[in-house]
């Protein structure tokens, strides 16, 4: 079974300072930075992710307040008999915040994701007053 990455679309709400160092095994320099993204759903979700590599940090050019579509790779690493998740961005598309309000999709992301999903039919709220209720139904919901 292959674990596929996940996609998250939202706003960068936190940008941590970059960290850098030198790898003990190879002696090569490295640079890494953490970001927090929050979705724009009715009940927003947040996700902390990492961008590893100076070249990717420069390419992605992420900043607090940016609206983005992020592709994340999830992997766990063991340390002292415990596992810790690594959630790394491997692709980022910036989205025009004005296009988000109109419902337009980013051109690059839409072309990569395949055809656009069909418009969903409006769904009736089962908890709305009178929804799905009739006189013969004595259930309280």
């Amino acid at each position: 079974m292959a674990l596929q990455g996940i996609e998250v679309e939202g706003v960068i709400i936190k940008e941590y300072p970059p960290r850098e160092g030198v790898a003990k095994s190879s002696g090569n320099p490295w640079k890494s930075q953490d970001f927090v993204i929050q979705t724009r759903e009715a009940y927003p979700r947040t996700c902390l992710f990492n961008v590893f590599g100076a070249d990717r940090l420069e390419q992605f050019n992420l900043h607090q307040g940016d609206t983005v579509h992020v592709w994340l790779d999830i992997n766990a690493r063991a340390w002292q008999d415990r596992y810790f998740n690594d959630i790394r961005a491997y692709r980022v598309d910036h989205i025009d915040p004005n296009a988000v309000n109109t419902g337009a999709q980013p051109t690059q992301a839409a072309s990569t994701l395949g055809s656009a999903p069909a418009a969903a039919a409006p769904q009736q709220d089962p908890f709305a007053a009178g929804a799905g209720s009739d006189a013969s139904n004595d259930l309280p919901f």
Side-chain angles (χ1 to χ4, degrees), residues 1-128:
M1 174 177 87
L3 179 62
Q4 298 294 322
I6 61 169
E7 299 176 30
V8 178
E9 190 172 300
V11 177
I12 302 294
I13 61 169
K14 179 80 174 163
E15 173 184 1
Y16 288 93
R19 297 181 314 269
E20 46 192 309
V22 177
K24 293 177 186 177
S25 59
S26 66
N28 294 332
W30 59 267
K31 189 172 185 180
S32 175
Q33 189 170 3
D34 292 335
F35 300 90
V36 178
I37 188 169
Q38 184 175 52
T39 63
R40 296 179 314 259
E41 300 166 335
Y43 298 101
R45 303 189 79 141
T46 56
C47 178
L48 172 73
F49 68 92
N50 177 272
V51 176
F52 188 83
D55 55 339
R56 285 201 171 166
L57 283 167
E58 185 178 325
Q59 175 189 1
F60 295 164
N61 192 28
L62 292 171
H63 298 288
Q64 190 167 327
D66 289 353
T67 302
V68 292
H69 190 111
V70 182
W71 282 258
L72 301 169
D73 181 36
I74 302 173
N75 196 18
R77 58 185 163 73
W79 183 70
Q80 295 184 352
D81 202 32
R82 293 194 61 197
Y83 283 85
F84 298 88
N85 286 324
D86 282 328
I87 302 175
R88 288 216 171 127
Y90 63 90
R91 178 178 168 185
V92 172
D93 287 343
H94 286 261
I95 299 173
D96 179 3
N98 298 324
V100 171
N101 295 335
T102 63
Q105 292 291 322
T107 54
Q108 185 177 7
S111 66
T112 336
L113 299 174
S115 60
Q123 295 188 1
Q124 184 178 6
D125 181 3
F127 300 107

